[in-house]
Amino acid sequence: MTEAPTPPDQRTAVVTGAARGIGAAIAARLAADGHRVAVLDLREEDTAATVEAINNSGGKAVGVGADVSDADAVAAAVGRIAAELGPPTILVNNAGILRDNLLFKMTDTDWDAVMGVHLRGAFLMSRAVQAHQVQAQWGRIVNLSSTSALGNRGQANYAAAKAGLQGFTKTLAIELGRYNVTVNAIAPGFIETDMTRATAERVGVPYPDFVAHAVAEIPVGRAGAPADIAAAASFFVREDASFVSGQVLYVAGGPKD
């Protein structure tokens, strides 16, 4: 039985890693665009602030706790979202972690943890959500890559995962296009978040200096903000972006190779 079509401005969206930073900004933007939003993060209690902000602004959001690298947890989360908000047809795979180190210092655990959240997580979430998208004959998947996919010292695991997401994106675009499902990726450049603050602390550079150094290399002369990434995600999930699929959009304040 085919699910009844949902008005374009009333879809159910899932944003992973949405408790804070880029994920929270994307969740808020999609809610402002009229979508019901599942705010998913590792611990449900961590989603409270994002959910409250959306609901207080007139949107509809629920918080969901799940480890995106765990198949059973993903299946349960997507099932709950479908029951509480309606079948999810928009998915933003944003969940990510850092375990930076030079190759000779990087442990097996560091490598596996990053691959598990970024790549396995995107795979499991996409596999679960595409069932609803195919049934609805409509869907949008947006994967968060990074300019680090082009290579970045001390991030062999993260760079490999983010590059892998670009290949994953293009392959899903080919497989799912016939069902009116588009799949695209956003590759942020330097965005001011808790994660960039943690990176500055890890390398022992005062955060203002860390930002200033990055901005000096950005053609538009400023650091990015989570809202910049949210705007790109908003575009990709629109009805009038239906002919854009399999693309990687670098949102970095300037050109990237």
Side-chain angles (χ1 to χ4, degrees):
M1 180 177 178
T2 302
E3 294 168 354
T6 305
D9 60 345
Q10 296 178 6
R11 308 281 187 185
T12 295
V14 184
V15 184
T16 69
R20 60 185 63 82
I22 290 173
I26 292 173
R29 177 61 184 263
L30 295 187
D33 289 346
H35 304 297
R36 299 178 295 269
V37 181
V39 179
L40 191 150
D41 215 291
L42 183 60
R43 301 187 306 173
E44 183 172 333
E45 56 265 34
D46 292 342
T47 69
T50 304
V51 170
E52 182 179 10
I54 290 172
N55 290 335
N56 287 346
S57 297
K60 173 63 176 176
V62 298
V64 179
D67 178 354
V68 296
S69 68
D70 183 298
D72 291 339
V74 166
V78 173
R80 176 187 163 192
I81 291 163
E84 294 188 18
L85 292 179
T89 53
I90 296 172
L91 171 63
V92 181
N93 285 310
N94 169 75
I97 61 172
L98 290 176
R99 295 292 185 271
D100 294 351
N101 225 324
L102 295 174
L103 179 63
F104 76 98
K105 294 181 179 179
M106 188 172 291
T107 67
D108 294 357
T109 301
D110 291 338
W111 178 271
D112 291 343
V114 170
M115 293 298 163
V117 174
H118 292 269
L119 282 177
R120 180 177 169 83
F123 158 65
L124 292 175
M125 288 297 305
S126 298
R127 187 177 64 180
V129 169
Q130 64 83 33
H132 296 283
Q133 296 173 326
V134 170
Q135 191 170 17
Q137 292 289 293
W138 190 96
R140 300 285 186 266
I141 297 175
V142 180
N143 297 315
L144 268 291
S145 181
S146 169
T147 55
S148 291
L150 302 173
N152 199 28
R153 179 179 173 85
Q155 290 192 318
N157 48 5
Y158 186 79
K162 291 305 192 181
L165 279 171
Q166 296 190 15
F168 182 68
T169 295
K170 293 177 183 294
T171 299
L172 292 197
I174 295 168
E175 293 186 5
L176 298 177
R178 68 183 63 187
Y179 305 108
N180 197 27
V181 177
T182 67
V183 189
N184 292 286
I186 300 170
F190 186 87
I191 309 295
E192 290 199 66
T193 65
D194 290 344
M195 190 174 283
T196 55
R197 287 184 178 275
T199 300
E201 183 176 346
R202 178 181 61 83
V203 298
V205 177
Y207 188 62
D209 296 342
F210 188 72
V211 173
H213 177 76
V215 168
E217 302 298 322
I218 299 173
V220 300
R222 70 169 177 88
D228 294 313
I229 309 306
S234 174
F235 165 72
F236 278 136
V237 307
R238 292 177 192 168
E239 191 70 36
D240 55 8
S242 63
F243 203 56
V244 181
S245 195
Q247 303 305 303
V248 180
L249 177 63
Y250 282 85
V251 183
K256 295 292 180 180
D257 295 332

